[in-house]
């Protein structure tokens, strides 16, 4: 695909021309800052440069490619997120429907836990020869 057509597709964010893998590959081939500085000083015929170097003709090309990649992936990510939310919602509804005492009434066990803790404290105090008369 000619570079002008490719960059037109990127600027138009046309998903019918480029897929996410192609866009990600273009991002990998974007010139680095150091390469951009070298290319700015290049005085020869820019048509002699490779396709990667010609990407610098588009201002902020790497950012634009990143946005395009995000746009392509966004819908599938939202779909996956919705599936996950449906799974969690379904699990919550199942727990609520069963009214499992082991899951929903755990707070009732805290009362007996409090009493057991007091017994353990009293036993420890007696073992250490402390007076439990004030407790």
């Amino acid at each position: 695909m000619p570079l002008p057509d490719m960059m037109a597709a990127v600027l138009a964010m046309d998903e019918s021309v480029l897929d996410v893998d192609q866009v990600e590959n273009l991002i990998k081939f974007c010139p680095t800052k150091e390469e951009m500085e070298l290319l700015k000083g290049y005085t020869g015929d820019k048509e002699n440069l490779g396709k990667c170097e010609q990407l610098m003709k588009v201002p902020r090309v790497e950012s634009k490619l990143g946005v395009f990649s995000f746009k392509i992936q966004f819908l599938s990510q939202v779909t996956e997120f919705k599936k996950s939310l449906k799974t969690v919602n379904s699990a919550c509804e199942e727990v609520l429907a069963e009214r499992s005492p082991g899951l929903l009434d755990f707070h009732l066990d805290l009362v007996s836990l409090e009493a057991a803790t007091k017994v353990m404290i009293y036993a420890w105090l007696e073992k250490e020869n402390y007076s439990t008369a004030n407790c």
Side-chain angles (χ1 to χ4, degrees), residues 3-132:
L3 184 65
D5 295 344
M6 191 176 357
M7 291 317 300
V10 169
L11 294 173
M13 294 193 177
D14 187 352
E15 298 172 40
S16 66
V17 177
L18 296 171
D19 64 22
V20 70
D21 292 330
Q22 291 169 317
V23 173
E24 293 294 326
N25 283 332
L26 285 172
I27 290 171
K28 290 177 189 174
F29 291 111
C30 283
T32 64
K33 288 182 182 181
E34 295 82 16
E35 291 170 332
M36 291 290 277
E37 290 302 317
L38 288 172
L39 288 170
K40 283 181 184 176
Y42 179 72
T43 56
D45 185 13
K46 295 198 185 223
E47 295 302 318
N48 292 335
L49 295 173
K51 286 186 177 182
C52 297
E53 289 78 15
Q54 290 181 27
L55 285 175
M56 73 169 266
K57 291 179 182 179
V58 178
R60 300 176 310 278
V61 67
E62 190 170 359
S63 298
K64 290 176 181 176
L65 288 167
V67 169
F68 188 27
S69 174
F70 177 80
K71 178 188 179 254
I72 294 171
Q73 297 177 55
F74 182 75
L75 188 57
S76 64
Q77 289 176 344
V78 167
T79 303
E80 287 299 315
F81 185 65
K82 283 182 180 178
K83 284 181 189 176
S84 297
L85 284 178
K86 284 180 182 177
T87 302
V88 170
N89 191 37
S90 183
C92 290
E93 287 173 357
E94 189 175 319
V95 168
L96 290 174
E98 290 179 7
R99 291 279 179 189
S100 176
L103 291 175
L104 299 177
D105 297 332
F106 72 92
H107 66 282
L108 299 175
D109 294 334
L110 297 179
V111 174
S112 61
L113 183 62
E114 182 181 354
T117 304
K118 286 182 182 178
V119 169
M120 290 176 64
I121 291 173
Y122 285 133
W124 180 77
L125 289 172
E126 288 177 356
K127 180 181 169 191
E128 296 296 323
N129 294 323
Y130 289 105
S131 172
T132 57

